[in-house]
Amino acid sequence: MDGFMQSVGHYMLDHKTKGMPGGIAPFPMAEIAAKNWNILREDLPLPLAVLKKSAMDHNSAWMRDFVARSGAVIAPHGKTTMAPQLFGQQMNDGAWAITVATPQQLAVARDFGFQRIILANQLVGKQAIRYVFDELKRDPAFDFYCIVDSEANVAQLVAAAQSAAIGRPLQVFLEGGWIGGRTGVRDIETGLRVARAVKAAAPSLALRGVEGFEGLTPTDRTAAETQVRTFLDMLVHLAQACEAENLFAPGEVILTAGGSAFYDMVLARFSHANLSRPTRIITRSGCYITHDSVRYRRFFTEITDRTPDAAQGGGLLSAIEVWAYVQSRPEPGKILLTVGARDFGTDDRPVAETWFRPNTAMSHPATIPPGHLVTGHNDQHTHMTVPENSPLQIGDMLSFGVGHPCLTFDKWQILVVVDDAYNVVGVVRTFF
Amino acid sequence: MDGFMQSVGHYMLDHKTKGMPGGIAPFPMAEIAAKNWNILREDLPLPLAVLKKSAMDHNSAWMRDFVARSGAVIAPHGKTTMAPQLFGQQMNDGAWAITVATPQQLAVARDFGFQRIILANQLVGKQAIRYVFDELKRDPAFDFYCIVDSEANVAQLVAAAQSAAIGRPLQVFLEGGWIGGRTGVRDIETGLRVARAVKAAAPSLALRGVEGFEGLTPTDRTAAETQVRTFLDMLVHLAQACEAENLFAPGEVILTAGGSAFYDMVLARFSHANLSRPTRIITRSGCYITHDSVRYRRFFTEITDRTPDAAQGGGLLSAIEVWAYVQSRPEPGKILLTVGARDFGTDDRPVAETWFRPNTAMSHPATIPPGHLVTGHNDQHTHMTVPENSPLQIGDMLSFGVGHPCLTFDKWQILVVVDDAYNVVGVVRTFF
């Protein structure tokens, strides 16, 4: 991370940035460690989003090793964090590319010098298409991939490619989907029609592989695994059908699928695709770098259960916390905290993990006793039911584990990086 | 808005800012109108958040007139928009103060020169308390109010006030709440204990009035109105009890309550509080300036139903839209759009309102035909069920009315301001 830190180190922070102390003189991000701030000493206001450096480093190395053992590569989804510093850490740990979801996310990754980027989405709209071709023309080393699932979109891209005349093809993946799911062709025949349209558009377009996103599944585990298995089979059949018709552009064929919940199944299935061409397998998990305390913690339990090898190296650790103060205890069994839907994702409810009383003999945060349950949130408040004998008082600090990192990162322009004693050793800037 | 526009006009925009075209050279916000951009001409990428100038101006004037007719004032909640430019418009339209929810929001309002600010929340935590006293000491014209609901918090504020020795009292409101609700004392006797503690702390603290937030109520309208009525009675009784014990500091007594859903009831009840002292009534709606298409549209129907005078001047109009492209139609009855939980609030589901096909004979957006229903969202996608004969094609543009403005504003660092022909005439910057 340190190398990429320099490229954002000149960004200025001031007290309009959520997490910075009121009244502080503006200063460049690179100087934050020199402030010698400590969270438990209350050097920063709450709410505050905190990244634990040791856990992030652990997760990055764990995923590198896990993917490498399977012979695949990772193109981590940058949309989770939208933090070029973390993209840098992920590339340093061997990522093959950075994945993004939108043209703005692409622009951020380009500005920070990332050369191989997968837009795991359809490329639509005048400005988005124009920007991609401008950027491909400007930089011959820019290695870009996007996704198609319709002849209509292929026709739009062909028209733009012919007009832009950049001298090399726009590289696309054919996307498979399932009925009732998100984007992607629903059946092999439709997929072949789209793939044939891509091939017919050579040399404007080049079909580089097959893509899918397996993450949006039923909540029942058995039903989800069955659906993912069926879907991965469909993606492999789509690739086999494209190969049989010789629709892929020359070179290796890429098979890539996406989420942070089933990458073990993706690796296992794609490594038995039995294509005759050299095949590159790419997973795209974005959440592993920070993990979480609810959604992906549960999914990771399922991963190690299905794929015991994943437990090697200690698995993934939650590296992200949001801290808040107890602001009110208006009933013996209820407290309100200075944090809300503006500060963490609420699609999966955050969980209280530790508490700390500053300026006392406490030296470390203590585990929250049983019975402290988040019951709801407003924009700027969290409601919690507590036992009547709860030790919590007004002014105590609580840490929350988050339910889903993507929708917590986007609530912050900066997240502070801490060591295990909660000293602030760095800061990560997001670009949402 | 124009006056305050100058104070943010030097902020630079580039293509890392969501909503700006890829590859554009950085430029100061003040120059945006000179770009001659038009949304329907696809001069800007989607998704894009759009504020309609004529509707915002209408809403701002409507609320000024409505509140003025009741003899009250408004201190609009800035947390909705966190846009100092809009705070400026609200002050120009006669607001008495700006309300904020957090110390960071306070710092933003201070940096842009707002002198009278209500922190509609408990002031807790070392940095937040320090900043408020520093700022009160630095600027004798800073007129600040916050809220107390416990003797413990009063004791913390008294200790800080004595240490800061700023030479004038910290002004507080006593907050009332209800059992099962958010912050605020649950009964008169507890309220009196807190108020006595404030009075005992003179001249460090000064009790300026009574405050409550009536917005979090049952969804059933009759039950909600009954609860609000009971709660407003409780706040008035709290004020009467404080007056009977002479606990208010000298000067006028302030009665203030808060949300965007029941301000008519607040005005009606507080104007019959029958205190012997001069009384100032303050409402704090934040959402009226942009209104919305779901939550506050429904609440406003109820307001005009209860209080027919609110229909004068045309009522409130939705001034905020989020635009997106159709990116996929993988089934005849389903489309996916380039917009998601990163782009608008999803606690109330957004609604598709209009569609437009660029580069055709269409000159204006058309109303979405019946049967186009948002069925779900992911971080960067929206799922919509459409009739099989829906006219929508890949690359078409759709506008969404949002369900709740607060949780849409915070998804954007800028929202573009358009005239009725969707020419970009300005830009509003947020500070979340």
Side-chain angles (χ1 to χ4, degrees):
Chain A
M1 187 164 66
D2 298 329
F4 281 88
M5 183 72 177
Q6 290 163 18
S7 64
V8 296
H10 64 284
Y11 275 92
M12 299 298 287
L13 299 178
D14 68 18
H15 71 172
K16 293 193 291 302
T17 312
K18 189 169 64 166
M20 289 295 100
I24 193 169
F27 68 97
M29 272 177 55
E31 294 176 8
I32 198 165
K35 303 279 184 191
N36 291 312
W37 281 330
N38 182 284
I39 308 303
L40 304 180
R41 210 164 50 214
E42 295 189 281
D43 291 331
L44 295 177
L46 309 183
L48 185 73
V50 168
L51 296 173
K52 299 171 94 161
K53 181 164 170 44
S54 60
M56 271 199 304
D57 290 349
H58 168 92
N59 292 343
S60 197
W62 179 90
M63 183 59 96
R64 174 193 60 208
D65 295 345
F66 178 69
V67 173
R69 286 199 297 278
S70 72
V73 293
I74 184 164
H77 210 318
K79 68 125 182 162
T80 296
T81 69
M82 279 313 293
Q85 294 159 273
L86 299 183
F87 301 175
Q89 176 169 5
Q90 292 170 313
M91 293 301 289
N92 290 342
D93 277 341
W96 185 79
I98 295 295
T99 300
V100 297
T102 71
Q104 177 261 344
Q105 294 176 1
L106 173 64
V108 171
R110 290 298 290 158
D111 270 15
F112 285 94
F114 296 92
Q115 288 291 61
R116 186 183 285 135
I117 299 175
I118 298 171
L119 175 66
N121 231 334
Q122 284 69 27
L123 177 61
V124 291
K126 179 175 163 183
Q127 292 299 329
I129 294 173
R130 178 200 54 73
Y131 172 61
V132 165
F133 282 109
D134 281 355
E135 196 64 7
L136 285 166
K137 197 165 195 168
R138 188 181 68 74
D139 182 1
F142 178 29
D143 191 17
F144 174 80
Y145 304 81
C146 67
I147 283 168
V148 293
D149 72 350
S150 70
E151 294 169 271
N153 188 217
V154 168
Q156 291 164 349
L157 297 176
V158 171
Q162 289 172 348
S163 160
I166 59 167
R168 58 191 163 122
L170 179 72
Q171 305 179 99
V172 301
F173 300 138
L174 172 63
E175 181 172 47
W178 67 85
I179 300 214
R182 203 159 74 183
T183 51
V185 298
R186 280 13 185 180
D187 56 73
I188 306 289
E189 191 43 50
T190 307
L192 284 170
R193 279 206 305 275
V194 176
R196 288 175 200 133
V198 173
K199 169 133 187 181
S204 293
L205 303 191
L207 186 65
R208 290 291 180 214
V210 168
E211 185 273 350
F213 173 61
E214 80 292 348
L216 302 168
T217 57
T219 49
D220 170 72
R221 176 176 164 184
T222 307
E225 289 178 354
T226 301
Q227 181 170 310
V228 170
R229 202 166 279 119
T230 305
F231 177 54
L232 293 171
D233 283 344
M234 183 266 200
L235 294 178
V236 168
H237 295 154
L238 208 48
Q240 290 167 340
C242 288
E243 183 172 66
E245 284 199 29
N246 195 29
L247 300 177
F248 289 120
E252 65 186 10
V253 172
I254 291 172
L255 298 179
T256 174
S260 295
F262 302 99
Y263 47 82
D264 59 317
M265 295 177 67
V266 170
L267 293 170
R269 182 65 188 92
F270 283 178
S271 61
H272 296 90
N274 295 321
L275 300 183
S276 59
R277 298 263 288 277
T279 307
R280 181 179 296 278
I281 300 168
I282 305 174
T283 61
R284 304 197 307 270
S285 167
C287 297
Y288 76 89
I289 184 91
T290 62
H291 206 49
D292 68 25
S293 299
V294 182
R295 181 182 296 198
Y296 292 104
R297 168 179 286 186
R298 172 166 53 81
F299 282 130
F300 194 72
T301 305
E302 298 178 6
I303 287 172
T304 52
D305 194 27
R306 279 191 304 264
T307 310
D309 172 64
Q312 270 197 47
L316 293 176
L317 307 174
S318 175
I320 183 168
E321 294 173 348
V322 178
W323 282 78
Y325 284 110
V326 177
Q327 68 178 100
S328 179
R329 191 169 172 178
E331 301 168 27
K334 176 161 197 172
I335 65 171
L336 283 297
L337 296 121
T338 62
V339 63
R342 246 77 184 271
D343 309 302
F344 43 39
T346 52
D347 51 348
D348 287 291
R349 209 162 254 183
V351 289
E353 294 188 327
T354 67
W355 72 281
F356 187 75
R357 181 166 302 153
N359 300 311
T360 65
M362 273 184 97
S363 60
H364 301 291
T367 301
I368 286 275
H372 290 70
L373 300 174
V374 174
T375 56
H377 62 269
N378 308 131
D379 291 357
Q380 319 272 179
H381 294 81
T382 291
H383 298 241
M384 184 178 277
T385 295
V386 302
E388 299 215 349
N389 67 354
S390 167
L392 296 178
Q393 299 176 1
I394 289 159
D396 285 348
M397 304 166 66
L398 259 79
S399 76
F400 289 89
V402 307
H404 172 190
C406 300
L407 294 183
T408 297
F409 268 95
D410 67 8
K411 307 297 187 291
W412 298 88
Q413 295 190 29
I414 58 157
L415 300 91
V416 298
V417 181
V418 299
D419 66 17
D420 292 345
Y422 287 96
N423 295 302
V424 176
V425 297
V427 57
V428 164
R429 193 186 195 283
T430 64
F431 291 84
F432 286 100
Chain B
M1 188 165 65
D2 298 327
F4 282 88
M5 182 73 178
Q6 291 163 17
S7 64
V8 297
H10 64 282
Y11 275 91
M12 299 298 288
L13 299 179
D14 68 18
H15 71 171
K16 293 192 292 299
T17 311
K18 190 167 64 164
M20 290 294 98
I24 192 170
F27 68 97
M29 272 177 55
E31 294 176 8
I32 199 165
K35 303 279 183 192
N36 292 311
W37 281 330
N38 183 284
I39 308 303
L40 304 180
R41 210 164 52 215
E42 295 187 282
D43 291 331
L44 295 178
L46 310 184
L48 185 71
V50 169
L51 296 174
K52 300 171 96 162
K53 182 165 171 40
S54 59
M56 270 197 306
D57 290 349
H58 168 92
N59 292 343
S60 197
W62 179 89
M63 183 58 94
R64 174 196 57 209
D65 294 346
F66 178 68
V67 172
R69 286 200 296 279
S70 72
V73 294
I74 184 163
H77 210 318
K79 67 124 184 163
T80 295
T81 69
M82 278 315 292
Q85 295 160 269
L86 299 183
F87 300 175
Q89 176 169 3
Q90 293 169 314
M91 293 301 289
N92 290 342
D93 278 342
W96 184 79
I98 295 296
T99 299
V100 297
T102 72
Q104 177 261 345
Q105 295 176 0
L106 172 65
V108 171
R110 289 299 290 158
D111 270 15
F112 285 94
F114 295 93
Q115 289 290 62
R116 186 183 285 134
I117 300 175
I118 297 171
L119 175 67
N121 231 334
Q122 283 70 26
L123 177 61
V124 292
K126 178 176 162 182
Q127 292 298 328
I129 294 172
R130 177 199 53 73
Y131 172 60
V132 165
F133 282 107
D134 282 355
E135 196 65 4
L136 285 166
K137 195 164 197 169
R138 189 182 67 74
D139 181 1
F142 178 30
D143 191 16
F144 174 80
Y145 303 80
C146 67
I147 282 166
V148 293
D149 72 349
S150 70
E151 293 169 272
N153 188 215
V154 168
Q156 292 164 349
L157 296 177
V158 170
Q162 288 172 347
S163 159
I166 58 167
R168 56 191 165 126
L170 178 73
Q171 305 178 101
V172 302
F173 300 137
L174 172 63
E175 181 172 45
W178 67 85
I179 299 214
R182 204 158 76 183
T183 51
V185 298
R186 277 20 183 178
D187 57 73
I188 306 288
E189 191 44 49
T190 307
L192 283 171
R193 279 205 304 274
V194 176
R196 288 175 201 136
V198 173
K199 168 132 188 183
S204 294
L205 303 191
L207 186 64
R208 290 292 180 214
V210 168
E211 186 274 350
F213 174 62
E214 80 291 350
L216 302 167
T217 56
T219 50
D220 171 71
R221 177 177 162 184
T222 307
E225 289 178 355
T226 301
Q227 179 169 311
V228 170
R229 203 165 280 120
T230 305
F231 177 53
L232 293 171
D233 283 344
M234 183 266 201
L235 294 178
V236 168
H237 295 154
L238 209 47
Q240 290 167 340
C242 288
E243 183 173 67
E245 285 199 26
N246 195 28
L247 300 176
F248 290 120
E252 65 187 11
V253 172
I254 291 173
L255 298 180
T256 174
S260 295
F262 301 98
Y263 45 82
D264 59 319
M265 295 177 67
V266 170
L267 294 172
R269 182 66 187 91
F270 283 179
S271 61
H272 296 88
N274 296 322
L275 300 183
S276 58
R277 298 264 286 278
T279 305
R280 180 180 295 279
I281 300 168
I282 306 174
T283 61
R284 303 196 308 268
S285 168
C287 297
Y288 75 90
I289 182 93
T290 63
H291 206 48
D292 67 25
S293 299
V294 183
R295 182 181 294 196
Y296 291 105
R297 169 178 285 187
R298 173 166 53 79
F299 281 130
F300 194 72
T301 305
E302 298 178 7
I303 286 172
T304 52
D305 195 25
R306 279 191 303 264
T307 309
D309 172 65
Q312 269 196 48
L316 293 175
L317 306 174
S318 175
I320 182 168
E321 294 175 348
V322 177
W323 282 78
Y325 283 112
V326 178
Q327 68 178 101
S328 180
R329 190 170 173 177
E331 300 167 27
K334 176 162 195 169
I335 65 171
L336 283 298
L337 297 119
T338 63
V339 64
R342 246 79 183 271
D343 308 303
F344 43 39
T346 53
D347 51 347
D348 286 290
R349 210 162 252 182
V351 289
E353 294 188 327
T354 68
W355 71 282
F356 186 76
R357 182 166 300 153
N359 299 312
T360 65
M362 275 184 94
S363 61
H364 300 292
T367 301
I368 286 274
H372 290 69
L373 300 175
V374 174
T375 56
H377 63 269
N378 308 131
D379 291 356
Q380 319 272 178
H381 295 80
T382 291
H383 298 243
M384 184 179 276
T385 295
V386 302
E388 299 214 349
N389 67 353
S390 167
L392 295 178
Q393 299 176 2
I394 289 158
D396 286 348
M397 303 164 66
L398 259 79
S399 75
F400 288 89
V402 307
H404 172 189
C406 300
L407 293 182
T408 296
F409 268 95
D410 67 9
K411 307 297 188 289
W412 298 87
Q413 295 190 30
I414 57 157
L415 300 91
V416 298
V417 180
V418 299
D419 66 17
D420 292 345
Y422 287 97
N423 295 302
V424 176
V425 297
V427 57
V428 164
R429 193 184 194 285
T430 64
F431 291 84
F432 285 101

